[in-house]
Amino acid sequence: MLDPVPRPTSGLALRCSRALLSPWSRLSLLVAVLAAAAVTVLTYEPQRLLSGGWPPQLSGPAAVVLFGAGYGVCTAAFVPRPLLNLAAGALFGSQAGLVAALAGTVLGAGIAFTLGRVLGQEALRPLLRGRWLKAADGQLSRHGFRSMLAVRLFPGIPFAAANYCAAVSRMGYLPFLLATAIGSVPNTAAYVMAGSSAASPTSPVFLASTGFIALSAAGAAVVAWRKRHCLRKA
């Protein structure tokens, strides 16, 4: 009597692998990763650096590099950049603090862009049906560098939201990172200088930096209002 022939399992394995690698499965993984990052931030509260200071055993260039790496991870986990910029200035001064903050900004943007592009783009692109969503996607896809440069120069759109919106669009990595690095310099420098001179709130440096922050916020509000008005007319 012949032994029973085992049924092939390749079909089942193929279906399972397709299900696990499907766009919606990857989007679910992205949501889980971001939720875990947000919970971690709420638990450890990295913004306590503003009050508690940097660990005394860490100093010098290594501390700047470590802060920049932590900055990048924290921004990808939704920690507000203004708090981290103020902390960079308060901990390392204006020059080293600016280097750490800009490096962390580009790193965090790259992390978020990669996560959004790999795990979320295929599932979310078919959902871009609204007029405003289509307009934003078309602007980022066709004019990626200058659009992202404008977003970084004029604060108003949350950093993480801009990163993930760019990831869902067809914008390339290099224009995204270049626009982030260049466009983030003025606002980041203002916050870092404000943090480095916070001990002297009446000093010219602190007053100039806070004035620049207020003016850039007002400019962003005007630009957003005009853009919204143009979209309504269109």
Side-chain angles (χ1 to χ4, degrees):
M1 187 174 180
L2 298 175
D3 294 332
V5 178
R7 297 180 63 183
T9 60
S10 59
L12 178 61
L14 182 61
R15 288 195 296 270
C16 292
S17 63
R18 285 179 178 176
L20 291 174
L21 296 177
S22 67
W24 286 102
S25 296
R26 284 181 284 165
L27 180 61
S28 300
L29 177 59
L30 175 61
V31 172
V33 169
L34 296 180
V39 170
T40 303
V41 167
L42 292 175
T43 302
Y44 290 98
E45 299 179 352
Q47 60 271 25
R48 287 183 296 180
L49 287 172
L50 285 171
S51 57
W54 190 255
Q57 61 270 24
L58 296 174
S59 61
V64 177
V65 172
L66 183 60
F67 181 88
Y71 185 115
V73 175
C74 287
T75 55
F78 308 112
V79 177
R81 284 184 62 245
L83 291 176
L84 296 172
N85 291 333
L86 291 172
L91 294 173
F92 304 109
S94 58
Q95 295 182 357
L98 180 59
V99 171
L102 286 177
T105 296
V106 176
L107 176 61
I111 293 173
F113 190 89
T114 302
L115 288 174
R117 178 61 55 89
V118 174
L119 299 179
Q121 187 188 46
E122 289 187 31
L124 293 177
R125 281 204 64 80
L127 303 179
L128 300 177
R129 298 174 182 174
R131 182 181 63 178
W132 286 50
L133 291 176
K134 286 184 177 180
D137 175 66
Q139 189 73 16
L140 288 171
S141 298
R142 293 191 300 269
H143 311 289
F145 177 81
R146 72 183 190 188
S147 299
M148 187 53 56
L149 185 65
V151 168
R152 302 306 191 196
L153 285 172
F154 296 100
I157 299 178
F159 183 72
N163 294 336
Y164 291 110
C165 287
V168 174
S169 73
R170 292 188 174 92
M171 186 177 183
Y173 270 93
L174 185 58
F176 172 76
L177 293 178
L178 281 177
T180 297
I182 298 172
S184 299
V185 171
N187 200 259
T188 302
Y191 275 100
V192 170
M193 292 174 65
S196 65
S197 59
S200 304
T202 58
S203 65
V205 174
F206 183 83
L207 294 176
S209 57
T210 53
F212 179 84
I213 293 170
L215 287 176
S216 62
V222 173
V223 171
W225 180 82
R226 293 187 61 183
K227 192 67 175 178
R228 181 180 179 183
H229 184 67
C230 293
L231 286 175
R232 281 185 173 181
K233 290 179 64 177

